[in-house]
Each structure stands twice: as C-alpha cells, then as structure tokens.
Amino acid sequence: LTVQQNSDTVLGGLYTKTKDNNLYKGNGDDKLDANDPVVTGIIVNAGATLVLVDQFSTGYANVRLSNDFVIYGTVTSDAILGFYLDANIIDVEGGGTITASSTAPDTSAKEIHLGSGQNLTMQVINRGTIEAKGTGSGNGGAIFIIADNLVIHEGTLDTSGGSSISGQGGNSGILDI
C-alpha cells in the first residue's frame, strides 16, 4: 500500500496532506476534510508493504502517530533521502522490516530516523530488521534511533555499503542509537 498524497479516492486508503505529519484514513470521497480521521496507530501485517511519501518536498517522508506503529511486514519510502517515523512505540517484530536500502545498482541507501527526541517516541523495539544498505559502489545509509525512554534491540541493524566486483564497494553508513 502506497500512502497517497493529497488524494482521498480509495475507501479506507491512507493519505497525507502537504506539510502535515499525520496519516489520514480516507473515505473515498476525494475530499481532504474533517470526515477523514487521523490515523493514531497502525499495524503493518506480515506480507504487507507500506510505502511512505514525501509530503513536505524536502526529500523525506514524515509520519507522526500518537499511538503505536507495529510492523510485522515492511515499511519503506519513495522519498529520495529517507524518512522520519514518530510514534508512542515503534515495534518491529520478528519478520518485520524497516528498509531504506538501495534497489538500483551502484546506489547509496537512504536514511531512517526512528524517533525525534521531542517526547513523541517513548520506545523503539526491534526484533526484526532495520536496514539501509547500499548496492555495488553505493554507501550504506544512516540509521538514527532516538527513543525518549527505552530502546530494545534483539534483531538486525544493517548499514552496510555495497560490494562491487568491478571496483571499490561502498562504505558503511552511520548507526546512531
């Protein structure tokens, strides 16, 4: 499911508004109005992929939830630089993945920011995979985890650079917890 920007044409679909950190659940009437509730928490089920969009034209997708963001599937973004997630608890369960890894040859990964240090993200729990891997000569991306109370890490964190058979591989990215 790709989050739509400024478009409420799908009943139950998710959308963002320009310069707004919230996600909204659309009612399919193609009107961006008060009839579309703000999403306060979300569960990405196993096998599902949630693609976030850049609603600020900054190169980053931004999502802020007042409750929990639970990930059994995959969360990624089509923003060119990466994404920011804020939620009361960000919980990546076993089999769940947050990824900003490169998918094109010889390309660097994007950034992942979990929490912002603004008393919005209390806990980040990782039992799955959080990755920002480069490909070929591309560098790994940065992963920043900022929780105001607790970080639990029992999974995989990967910021590795790409490996190239024809030249120099990429450098590892930053990991900051």
Side-chain angles (χ1 to χ4, degrees):
L1 170 68
T2 298
V3 174
Q4 300 300 306
Q5 185 169 346
N6 296 321
S7 176
D8 173 20
T9 58
V10 178
L11 178 63
L14 297 176
Y15 74 89
T16 62
K17 297 177 185 177
T18 300
K19 299 188 184 209
D20 185 340
N21 287 319
N22 293 310
L23 281 177
Y24 296 88
K25 184 175 181 181
N27 60 11
D29 67 0
D30 204 20
K31 296 177 186 170
L32 309 179
D33 56 26
N35 293 322
D36 301 325
V38 173
V39 175
T40 59
I42 194 165
I43 297 173
V44 179
N45 291 320
T49 299
L50 179 63
V51 181
L52 306 175
V53 297
D54 174 6
Q55 70 270 39
F56 288 89
S57 298
T58 60
Y60 293 94
N62 293 271
V63 172
R64 185 171 288 165
L65 304 175
S66 58
N67 290 317
D68 300 345
F69 200 136
V70 182
I71 302 158
Y72 295 98
T74 301
V75 175
T76 190
S77 173
D78 66 2
I80 60 170
L81 298 176
F83 54 93
Y84 288 80
L85 299 179
D86 264 309
N88 182 48
I89 297 173
I90 299 172
D91 183 4
V92 184
E93 285 297 315
T97 301
I98 296 176
T99 183
S101 293
S102 170
T103 56
D106 295 318
T107 305
S108 294
K110 304 175 209 174
E111 297 178 6
I112 299 171
H113 298 259
L114 303 179
S116 60
Q118 299 177 20
N119 286 323
L120 299 170
T121 300
M122 296 296 116
Q123 298 179 18
V124 176
I125 302 166
N126 179 34
R127 294 184 181 100
T129 300
I130 302 172
E131 64 178 31
K133 301 185 299 186
T135 58
S137 61
N139 297 326
I143 298 174
F144 299 95
I145 300 175
I146 303 171
D148 294 307
N149 289 340
L150 178 68
V151 173
I152 297 174
H153 171 63
E154 299 173 342
T156 301
L157 295 170
D158 191 347
T159 64
S160 59
S163 61
S164 177
I165 58 172
S166 61
Q168 181 175 335
N171 297 313
S172 176
I174 297 168
L175 178 59
D176 188 356
I177 300 176

